[in-house]
Amino acid sequence: MKKQTSDELVFLPLGGSGEIGMNLNLYGYGPESDRQWIVVDVGVTFGDLSTPGVDVIVPDPAFLEGETIRGIVLTHAHEDHIGALGWLWTRMKAPLYATPFTAFLIREKLREAGILDQVEIHEIPLGGTVDLGPFTVDFITMTHSIAEPNGLAIRTPLGTVLHTGDWKIDDDPIVGGVTDSGAIARLGDEGVLAMVCDSTNVFVEGVAGSEGDVRDRLTELIGSLKGRIAVGCFASNVARMDSIIRAAEAAGRRVSLAGRSMHRITSAAKHVGMLQGIQPFLSEQEARVWPADEILFLCTGSQGEPRAALSRVAEGTHPYIKLSNGDHCIFSSRVIPGNELSVGRLQDRLSDRGVRIYTERDHPGIHVSGHPCREELRQMYAWARPRIAVPTHGMRRHLAEHANLARDIGVPETVTPRNGDMVRLAPGPAAIIDEVPSGRLYVDGGRLVTEQGEALHERRHASTNGVLIVSFAMDRRGAIVSDIDVRAIGLPGDAESPLGDALDDLAERAEAAVMKLKGEALEDEMVIEQAVSRALKKASQQIWDRRPIVETIVLRL
């Protein structure tokens, strides 16, 4: 069949390009009018102080509506790669393809969303291949901080793209196989058009380090301690969990799991044959009375998440884990950027209870990253030898530095797209040829809302400016026939300037604003509310240098 000269191979990131997390990557093939797509990963990121009340943020897939999607391929089971499936699958409605461990966790996520029976899930063996229209996708075994991470060799009539997913090079990963350098080198021999590659650790020289070395350090540390031990780590890191469990058993300790995701991940791991040959976990009831020198708690919450197990331990509200003087807490994890304050507060609260803290800063080797450092990136480029480097999975500074590194080692072309930038990979030179709608959706109160949603805007405004609630009664002639009650939320007072005095002043200003209204304006609640709001915002600017939200309640008698 003669190839149409208008066929193009394009890459389109809708999430994860220029930020760490929330991955949603598209590959398209064909003429613009009839392009076919595959989706690689559908992830989340998490809310912060700028999004009060929002725990989860997902990429906006509006561009995909009405497009031909051949399939959704998942590289691995971290939340920033699969976490949005429960929210977004109904907007894509394409079959899912994943290896067994990832497929197990996907089913749990879709079951929680109530859509499992609607979704077609194909479980692909490690090293397997799937044909999706013009795309043939080979799964390539990688190493990372989770079980069964995969790179993808995406073969098309216009060339092969190596999508690395998240990866590192580790000759002793504890769980799973090593990065399949032979498969990647064979791709390089065949010719790799482009490599879309992880940029997280591009500023870090050397290599990330081995899980095997972490096991040695944890075994040594845990074996040296007396008293209760709690270890916080990412539940998704099955290799780390395996190391902690075996280190505990070597020290004569039994393990109790604390946190829902610990139970969920261990179930997934055992389902695919991991975590074999270990003792059964202690139940909560057993752990509560187990001797202090013979127990280790494996806990969620190493990032200071308020509802996770470690935070409840630190607050003294956990139902069965109590740590105090002479006990220990090991943080076998890194602090994710943005979580420094929450982790610091968690460690302070534990220290207040007399718990000794151990982190990678003071005990090097009890954690290693799951992402490639510069030497590993150089090695990957030496294996794959792509014509085009497309850095992804990092902030803008990471992507820019990754492109610099690729150029320095001789990659002919580089391109660093932002979310929504459509990159033509072939034919011809790599170039950004279009920009499509992209953005974020917030999970707010169990609903997906836009970035510009009024509720979140008001919540942000209230969080920094406060709220005033004004109420009074009026008769049908427009006369105020009650006291004006003004109440404040989130606005300060002190001994020199009591809040009550300020509220009395605001009540007088509200009355004056209403008194200025004449005729029909006194019959229109909207006009009255706007007049009171303007007056109180102006006064609040003078009193507090704030412009609070003003809610006015008018009772007609």
Side-chain angles (χ1 to χ4, degrees):
M1 179 177 174
K2 186 177 179 181
K3 182 176 74 67
Q4 300 178 35
T5 57
S6 58
D7 282 350
E8 290 180 319
L9 173 61
V10 299
F11 169 67
L12 173 59
L14 292 180
S17 184
E19 59 193 331
I20 295 176
M22 202 179 72
N23 293 274
L24 178 60
N25 303 289
L26 314 181
Y27 291 90
Y29 180 82
E32 183 179 359
S33 60
D34 189 29
R35 196 167 277 151
Q36 300 180 62
W37 299 91
I38 59 171
V39 177
V40 175
D41 293 334
V42 186
V44 301
T45 190
F46 298 98
D48 55 26
L49 293 177
S50 69
T51 57
V54 172
D55 292 327
V56 174
I57 302 170
V58 304
D60 188 344
F63 168 78
L64 283 169
E65 293 178 11
E67 296 291 327
T68 301
I69 307 173
R70 288 291 189 169
I72 301 170
V73 186
L74 293 314
T75 61
H76 64 284
H78 274 143
E79 286 294 297
D80 58 337
H81 293 259
I82 68 167
L85 280 171
W87 296 103
L88 299 184
W89 182 85
T90 55
R91 299 191 179 197
M92 302 178 191
K93 293 189 175 178
L96 306 182
Y97 299 85
T99 52
F101 178 83
T102 303
F104 181 96
L105 293 172
I106 287 170
R107 289 189 185 97
E108 293 298 307
K109 192 167 293 294
L110 297 175
R111 184 178 291 112
E112 291 175 2
I115 60 173
L116 178 59
D117 60 347
Q118 303 174 39
V119 184
E120 181 184 339
I121 301 176
H122 297 269
E123 198 166 296
I124 308 301
L126 296 176
T129 297
V130 59
D131 291 320
L132 301 172
F135 304 95
T136 298
V137 182
D138 296 334
F139 285 71
I140 300 174
T141 295
M142 309 291 268
T143 50
H144 181 43
S145 54
I146 195 170
E148 295 184 6
N150 296 278
L152 304 175
I154 303 171
R155 302 176 186 274
T156 78
L158 290 177
T160 297
V161 179
L162 174 57
H163 186 103
T164 67
D166 293 357
W167 65 281
K168 62 185 283 188
I169 298 173
D170 187 347
D171 292 333
D172 187 11
I174 300 298
V175 168
V178 299
T179 294
D180 192 346
S181 58
I184 299 168
R186 287 191 294 273
L187 283 177
D189 293 340
E190 296 170 13
V192 173
L193 172 66
M195 184 164 71
V196 178
C197 185
D198 182 355
S199 308
T200 310
N201 281 343
V202 69
F203 288 105
V204 182
E205 283 291 352
V207 299
S210 173
E211 284 292 333
D213 294 336
V214 174
R215 172 170 291 188
D216 293 342
R217 300 289 82 72
L218 286 172
T219 300
E220 179 183 352
L221 176 59
I222 290 170
S224 71
L225 303 178
K226 299 295 182 183
R228 295 178 184 85
I229 300 175
V231 181
C233 71
F234 297 115
S236 58
N237 193 338
V238 177
R240 190 69 51 83
M241 291 174 64
D242 187 283
S243 291
I244 294 165
I245 292 165
R246 297 185 195 279
E249 292 183 354
R253 294 176 181 267
R254 294 287 297 278
V255 175
S256 180
L257 303 179
R260 182 184 175 196
S261 59
M262 284 291 176
H263 291 277
R264 182 169 54 89
I265 294 294
T266 53
S267 295
K270 290 183 176 182
H271 175 74
V272 297
M274 301 173 188
L275 297 180
Q276 298 298 304
I278 61 174
Q279 297 184 67
F281 299 119
L282 292 179
S283 68
E284 295 182 9
Q285 291 74 22
E286 292 172 315
R288 186 183 289 115
V289 297
W290 209 259
D293 291 343
E294 299 175 19
I295 183 73
L296 181 144
F297 299 102
L298 189 49
C299 302
T300 60
S302 65
Q303 299 304 300
E305 302 95 320
R307 294 185 292 275
L310 275 181
S311 287
R312 289 185 289 156
V313 171
E315 292 164 1
T317 59
H318 198 281
Y320 75 97
I321 304 178
K322 307 298 178 185
L323 298 184
S324 58
N325 246 356
D327 295 332
H328 312 271
C329 186
I330 299 169
F331 285 78
S332 185
S333 60
R334 73 181 180 96
V335 179
I336 294 174
N339 291 345
E340 293 86 356
L341 288 177
S342 59
V343 174
R345 286 193 291 265
L346 169 63
Q347 294 176 354
D348 285 342
R349 289 196 298 271
L350 288 167
S351 295
D352 280 343
R353 294 185 173 276
V355 178
R356 184 171 178 181
I357 306 298
Y358 304 81
T359 73
E360 62 172 335
R361 293 188 303 275
D362 47 67
H363 283 75
I366 64 172
H367 173 72
V368 291
S369 175
H371 298 274
C373 299
R374 291 177 74 89
E375 190 56 39
E376 291 157 288
L377 287 168
R378 292 186 184 99
Q379 181 62 74
M380 178 62 77
Y381 278 101
W383 288 330
R385 305 187 297 282
R387 195 187 86 198
I388 307 163
V390 187
T392 188
H393 203 283
M395 308 304 288
R396 289 305 302 175
R397 62 184 180 274
H398 296 90
L399 272 57
E401 180 59 23
H402 188 158
N404 290 335
L405 175 65
R407 282 190 289 268
D408 289 345
I409 58 181
V411 178
E413 300 179 57
T414 64
V415 60
T416 55
R418 290 176 166 81
N419 289 329
D421 286 346
M422 185 181 294
V423 180
R424 184 189 62 220
L425 299 175
I432 295 172
I433 59 171
D434 198 1
E435 182 180 356
V436 309
S438 65
R440 296 175 160 206
L441 299 174
Y442 296 99
V443 179
D444 190 4
R447 298 170 175 83
L448 284 181
V449 301
T450 66
E451 292 182 85
Q452 294 76 34
E454 184 177 350
L456 182 57
H457 172 75
E458 288 185 347
R459 205 177 303 139
R460 285 173 174 151
H461 189 83
S463 69
T464 55
N465 290 274
V467 179
L468 291 173
I469 302 169
V470 186
S471 61
F472 54 91
M474 299 182 73
D475 64 20
R476 297 191 179 281
R477 295 175 299 172
I480 298 175
V481 293
S482 71
D483 291 336
I484 296 180
D485 184 38
V486 181
R487 303 190 181 190
I489 300 173
L491 290 165
D494 56 28
E496 293 185 5
S497 302
L499 182 59
D501 291 351
L503 298 183
D504 290 343
D505 179 37
L506 292 176
E508 293 177 5
R509 301 215 189 189
E511 182 177 18
V514 174
M515 296 289 288
K516 290 179 181 178
L517 300 176
K518 304 295 181 184
E520 293 182 357
L522 290 169
E523 301 175 7
D524 190 332
E525 269 75 9
M526 184 67 71
V527 173
I528 295 169
E529 291 172 10
Q530 289 174 347
V532 171
S533 179
R534 284 194 299 269
L536 267 58
K537 284 183 178 180
K538 182 177 179 180
S540 298
Q541 187 77 47
Q542 296 168 349
I543 297 170
W544 295 293
D545 195 25
R546 297 283 188 276
R547 291 183 66 83
I549 292 174
V550 179
E551 285 293 317
T552 303
I553 303 168
V554 179
L555 176 64
R556 288 287 185 176
L557 300 179

